[in-house]
Amino acid sequence: MVILTSVLTTGALTLTACGSRDSGSKSDSGSTTLTIGVDAPLSGENSTTGLGIQYGVQIAVDDANKNNWVPGVKFKIKALDDKAQPATGQSNATAFTGDSNVVGAVGPLNSGVAQSMQQVFASANMVEISPSNTNPALTQGKDWATTKTRPYKTYFRTATTDALQGAFAADYAYNGLKKKKAFVVDDKQTYGAGLAGIFNSAFKKLGGSIAGTDHVNTGDTDFSSLVTKIKNSGADLLYYGGQYDESEKITKQLKGAGVKIPLFGGDGMFATTYIQTAGKAAEGDLATSVGVPADTLPAAKQFIATYKAKGYKGDYGAYGAYAYDAATAIIKAVKAVKDANGNKLPASNDLRSKVVDAVQKSDFEGISGKVAFDQYGDTTNKQLTVYQVTNGAWKAVKTGTFNGS
């Protein structure tokens, strides 16, 4: 794991029983340094997209420091590897909230990890903004399909939800690809099972039929029995709810067995690693992802150039721009709090709670589009894109705003 910092400071102040004397740590020049936490899988499974999140935040912090977005305040990041494990994510959240210099956090990548972290941040009144979580229950409660209730006011996301993504995929599969019989598989995880379930329902509602359903475990490598089921089902499409680590192997084994149907997945599959590992078997496969392609956004041009020039690892394409905007929302919130407090930062605990309130009022043009949040903490940017592997690369084939109807 690589942890980069923009500014090194000394003399950090610690919390007393009554709170801190000030916010952040003071440098010799008199400026205050605040830390933005980053939680994502930085090694192992999902690390390609996790590193894209880390470096997206790093570039935002570097831009804020270089351009003096908050006069008198410098920012650095504290990146922790959750290894895509909920228990590790919860431990990381505890580490962030226990550090008086941390003003907010960006992440995690996985919805299942987010479930283990939300209460920790809420108890500390610290903002958490995910650039990639898509499970609707995180913002709208477990009964979101019938009654929406926000569980935690400290949790936000710059990615839209699976309620839209799953239906968007079903619409493209049925009306765009003219597929009528789908086999649906998921990895039993919060994100994957949720997304697959939404696709299943939406596809049937459109008039399609489900040839069969099955589940796999994360870490599995032999999918021969699953391939046989799919082959015998007569399905003309395989929909997969989960991450690229398993789907890249499934599609390779599926095509190797002579089953020439496309594998369609969600944003957890949208990574260059999927194509690199699956090779020619990936050709024609599809994935939905949040927003529009970063390289088509004029505002993201400098971000992409910087990412490449720095030689950062990972893949910025899926969530890098959304991580940049999540970090920017926290930085802009710090400025709003400072401006409203006589150009001074309040004490750490007070700063954290005020930043939460300021993030809720976010309203600015980010590099991924408009950044604002609704009453649930969900992004108001509902754009989605379907990508297809064409000549060994992801190519956008449909972009739009989908309301699920």
Side-chain angles (χ1 to χ4, degrees):
M1 179 180 68
V2 179
I3 300 178
L4 301 180
T5 58
S6 303
V7 182
L8 299 178
T9 60
T10 58
L13 297 173
T14 57
L15 287 169
T16 66
C18 298
S20 71
R21 290 174 285 160
D22 202 350
S23 302
S25 58
K26 293 293 181 69
S27 70
D28 292 338
S29 63
S31 66
T32 298
T33 299
L34 297 175
T35 302
I36 295 177
V38 181
D39 177 88
L42 307 179
S43 64
E45 290 190 358
N46 310 160
S47 59
T48 295
T49 43
L51 289 167
I53 290 173
Q54 176 185 348
Y55 295 124
V57 176
Q58 184 65 58
I59 294 172
V61 164
D62 289 344
D63 283 351
N65 292 336
K66 178 183 177 181
N67 298 309
N68 201 27
W69 287 357
V70 187
V73 179
K74 297 296 182 183
F75 296 89
K76 66 177 183 178
I77 77 168
K78 180 177 184 176
L80 298 179
D81 183 3
D82 64 28
K83 297 179 173 59
Q85 298 297 318
T88 306
Q90 185 176 59
S91 177
N92 291 348
T94 300
F96 289 141
T97 58
D99 183 340
S100 62
N101 285 337
V102 178
V103 69
V106 176
L109 168 68
N110 307 87
S111 293
V113 176
Q115 287 182 319
S116 72
M117 301 175 76
Q118 287 180 303
Q119 181 62 61
V120 179
F121 286 112
S123 296
N125 249 331
M126 181 186 290
V127 70
E128 171 191 15
I129 308 178
S130 173
S132 55
N133 293 162
T134 52
N135 187 274
L138 296 170
T139 48
Q140 300 170 21
K142 60 183 179 64
D143 298 320
W144 63 270
T146 54
T147 306
K148 294 180 174 62
T149 303
R150 186 176 186 176
Y152 303 102
K153 73 170 188 176
T154 52
Y155 176 86
F156 300 82
R157 53 179 154 202
T158 51
T160 195
T161 74
D162 290 333
L164 299 184
Q165 184 177 193
F168 190 64
D171 178 74
Y172 188 76
Y174 188 82
N175 293 313
L177 299 175
K178 306 301 181 184
K179 302 298 183 182
K180 306 302 179 186
K181 194 174 182 182
F183 197 103
V184 181
V185 179
D186 69 70
D187 65 358
K188 305 180 187 177
Q189 302 300 301
T190 300
Y191 160 74
L195 181 60
I198 293 167
F199 175 89
N200 188 321
S201 297
F203 192 72
K204 288 189 292 186
K205 184 178 179 181
L206 288 166
S209 64
I210 302 301
T213 61
D214 207 345
H215 313 279
V216 299
N217 298 305
T218 56
D220 282 356
T221 57
D222 182 358
F223 299 101
S224 55
S225 62
L226 173 64
V227 167
T228 299
K229 290 179 184 178
I230 297 169
K231 186 174 185 178
N232 293 337
S233 75
D236 55 10
L237 174 80
L238 168 60
Y239 188 82
Y240 181 73
Q243 306 290 338
Y244 62 80
D245 302 275
E246 287 73 40
S247 62
E248 62 196 17
K249 299 178 181 66
I250 292 173
T251 198
K252 196 168 186 177
Q253 292 175 35
L254 191 66
K255 308 297 173 49
V259 186
K260 306 300 184 182
I261 62 174
L263 187 153
F264 198 165
D267 54 322
M269 230 179 77
F270 181 56
T272 54
T273 303
Y274 177 83
I275 301 173
Q276 291 166 357
T277 302
K280 292 182 179 179
E283 196 70 17
D285 287 351
L286 305 105
T288 49
S289 192
V290 298
V292 299
D295 57 10
T296 67
L297 296 166
K301 184 177 180 180
Q302 185 56 53
F303 166 78
I304 295 171
T306 300
Y307 199 105
K308 292 179 177 178
K310 293 282 188 180
Y312 287 145
K313 297 179 180 180
D315 189 346
Y316 67 82
Y319 310 117
Y322 296 91
Y324 181 102
D325 284 345
T328 300
I330 295 173
I331 292 166
K332 284 183 174 290
V334 169
K335 185 178 189 303
V337 171
K338 183 171 179 283
D339 289 349
N341 193 52
N343 203 33
K344 296 179 180 179
L345 292 175
S348 292
N349 288 344
D350 198 24
L351 174 62
R352 287 178 174 179
S353 63
K354 289 182 181 299
V355 164
V356 171
D357 295 336
V359 166
Q360 182 65 65
K361 299 174 184 176
S362 295
D363 187 2
F364 64 93
E365 288 297 327
I367 66 170
S368 66
K370 180 70 171 291
V371 178
F373 303 101
D374 65 16
Q375 67 269 37
Y376 303 106
D378 283 325
T379 178
T380 58
N381 182 353
K382 309 298 185 184
Q383 290 183 305
L384 289 156
T385 300
V386 177
Y387 296 87
Q388 187 167 33
V389 181
T390 306
N391 296 323
W394 289 112
K395 179 184 178 182
V397 293
K398 181 181 180 181
T399 297
T401 301
F402 192 70
N403 60 15
S405 62

